[in-house]
Amino acid sequence: MTKMMNLKFKILILNAQSIVNESKQIILQHLIESTDPDIISINETFLNQNKPLNIPNYAIFRSDRQHRKGDEAALCTKNTLSGSMIDILSLLTHENALALS
């Protein structure tokens, strides 16, 4: 018989409507410090490969649009968790998706 582990995670889910400007990044940092989530999901980041996202103590996995703005996403996991990207784009018709294992 397999013993089930009772794992609990705190997850912060945000529809950012852009975290490009400094004031939104300050708000994001305050939310993270206040809630101490294990996993952060950020939709509509409006980031691209030239705009960094740095969150101390978190591994950041991003899905940035290449040719237009909108639908960018980021999944961030505490460095104490292990995770890796799963390639699911070939399974979807939508060009922007992100999954972790």
Side-chain angles (χ1 to χ4, degrees), residues 27-85:
I27 293 168
L28 175 62
Q29 190 61 41
H30 176 72
L31 282 170
I32 293 167
E33 290 170 0
S34 299
T35 59
D36 190 33
D38 299 298
I39 300 168
I40 305 165
S41 173
I42 309 170
N43 298 318
E44 302 284 337
T45 65
F46 291 13
L47 296 174
N48 62 42
Q49 62 188 14
N50 298 321
K51 296 177 182 172
L53 175 61
N54 297 309
I55 302 174
N57 304 315
Y58 285 84
I60 299 171
F61 304 91
R62 292 174 42 174
S63 179
D64 297 336
R65 286 257 177 147
Q66 302 299 315
H67 304 291
R68 64 185 174 117
K69 185 168 66 170
D71 294 335
E72 299 83 5
L75 282 174
C76 313
T77 61
K78 276 190 175 176
N79 287 336
T80 55
L81 300 174
S82 63
S84 61
M85 295 278 286

